[in-house]
Amino acid sequence: MKHLDVSAIKDGSVIDHIESKSTLKVADILNIQNEEQVVLVGMNLTSKFLGKKGIIKIGGKIIDQKEVNKIALIAPNASVNIIKDYEVIKKFKVAVPDIIEGIVKCFNPNCISNYYNTQSKLHVVNKNPIKLQCHYCERIMNAKDLVI
Ligand SMILES: Nc1ncnc2c1ncn2[C@@H]1O[C@H](COP(=O)(O)OP(=O)(O)OP(=O)(O)O)[C@@H](O)[C@H]1O
Ligand SMILES: [Mg+2]
Ligand SMILES: [Zn+2]
């Protein structure tokens, strides 16, 4: 059996290939402090691809598409592995959608989307690094401006 940097879980989800410095941000949007089962977080692990990477393992939870879309904004290189009986049964890369609705707020405090109960709507103008443009006020937002 091969060696794992962060120990195995029986069933759940592994978010791998997170840019190391974004690991806790991903943990934050996934709300892992509210999970009931084992959660393991590793940071500054060696990665051929990223140099250093972070990894999050969440027991008993199957990550859903909405969460994957959020992860993609913070960690565009991440891959998600679904684990069952200690084996990877499904693996996919996160993907940034072309339009993001209701996940990220517009950064412009005067934007109409921040006034009425309007759902935010942002066009993805660049995926990696992330760059978004508000559908309503056309304000451009970069990774550092994102409020998720
Ligand atoms: N039972 C398990 N519990 C927790 N983590 C696991 C388990 N099995 C695999 N993993 C982790 O899930 C990720 C994907 O596992 P896999 O065996 O596909 O590794 P890999 O060949 O390095 O894949 P990749 O090409 O995606 O890096 C790795 O980070 C691995 O450590
Ligand atoms: Mg690997
Ligand atoms: Zn706006």
Side-chain angles (χ1 to χ4, degrees):
M1 195 193 146
K2 70 176 183 180
H3 166 81
L4 301 183
D5 269 330
V6 178
S7 37
I9 54 175
K10 182 171 184 286
D11 299 293
S13 303
V14 174
I15 302 116
D16 196 2
H17 306 120
I18 303 168
E19 208 188 322
S20 202
K21 63 171 171 35
S22 305
T23 309
L24 294 180
K25 242 190 202 172
V26 173
D28 210 27
I29 56 171
L30 288 174
N31 241 321
I32 58 174
Q33 65 271 36
N34 294 331
E35 293 299 325
E36 300 199 335
Q37 298 195 46
V38 166
V39 176
L40 304 166
V41 177
M43 287 167 69
N44 292 334
L45 307 175
T46 305
S47 160
K48 274 183 212 136
F49 176 50
L50 294 170
K52 285 187 168 182
K53 71 170 183 181
I55 193 163
I56 300 174
K57 305 189 177 190
I58 309 168
K61 181 185 174 93
I62 309 292
I63 297 273
D64 66 33
Q65 192 61 48
K66 197 171 176 199
E67 290 172 309
V68 168
N69 290 352
K70 286 193 205 175
I71 295 168
L73 299 175
I74 305 280
N77 299 310
S79 44
V80 177
N81 300 272
I82 307 300
I83 310 290
K84 196 164 181 224
D85 272 327
Y86 293 102
E87 297 290 333
V88 176
I89 57 156
K90 201 168 153 198
K91 182 195 291 280
F92 49 94
K93 297 228 69 148
V94 300
V96 180
D98 296 322
I99 294 186
I100 296 166
E101 290 181 275
I103 296 174
V104 186
K105 286 175 102 175
C106 177
F107 190 55
N108 173 7
N110 297 321
C111 178
I112 187 165
S113 69
N114 287 321
Y115 269 86
Y116 306 99
N117 265 341
T118 313
Q119 180 169 261
S120 67
K121 181 171 176 179
L122 300 153
H123 298 271
V124 177
V125 287
N126 197 54
K127 295 196 175 184
N128 190 5
I130 195 84
K131 197 183 214 183
L132 308 175
Q133 182 167 37
C134 179
H135 179 75
Y136 299 102
C137 72
E138 301 187 339
R139 176 85 162 243
I140 298 273
M141 278 160 278
N142 298 307
K144 63 169 173 32
D145 307 319
L146 298 190
V147 179
I148 295 180

